[in-house]
Amino acid sequence: KDEKAKQREQEAELNKKCIYAKDQLRQYEDSGYLYQLDKDGNRVIMPDEHRVAAINDLRTQIKKNCGS
């Protein structure tokens, strides 16, 4: 019983990661740009290379966690 419970927990965690990654990917693809906040709370726009890298990382996470 413990192994089945552990397996269900792991599957639930992967599903959670999958949903989060898909949502982030949709937001990143829909946005014109990404930004980070500096120490003063001001937006600093990230270069396009960083946006593309972030999108590719999310796609990798989706493949890993979602099995597709």
Side-chain angles (χ1 to χ4, degrees):
K1 291 183 181 180
D2 288 337
E3 284 186 36
K4 287 184 181 182
K6 275 186 176 181
Q7 185 176 4
R8 280 193 294 266
E9 279 183 33
Q10 288 175 342
E11 288 173 359
E13 185 64 27
L14 283 177
N15 188 46
K16 185 176 167 181
K17 288 180 180 180
C18 175
I19 291 168
Y20 178 78
K22 285 182 177 181
D23 184 56
Q24 285 294 108
L25 178 62
R26 182 187 54 76
Q27 290 179 29
Y28 283 16
E29 288 178 333
D30 289 348
S31 69
Y33 61 90
L34 299 181
Y35 66 88
Q36 294 179 323
L37 298 177
D38 65 12
K39 63 180 179 172
D40 298 323
N42 300 313
R43 290 181 181 181
V44 178
I45 296 175
M46 296 171 55
D48 277 341
E49 309 85 62
H50 292 236
R51 180 176 176 266
V52 170
I55 288 171
N56 289 336
D57 288 344
L58 284 169
R59 287 182 178 148
T60 300
Q61 287 179 27
I62 290 168
K63 284 180 183 180
K64 177 181 174 187
N65 295 323
C66 304
S68 58

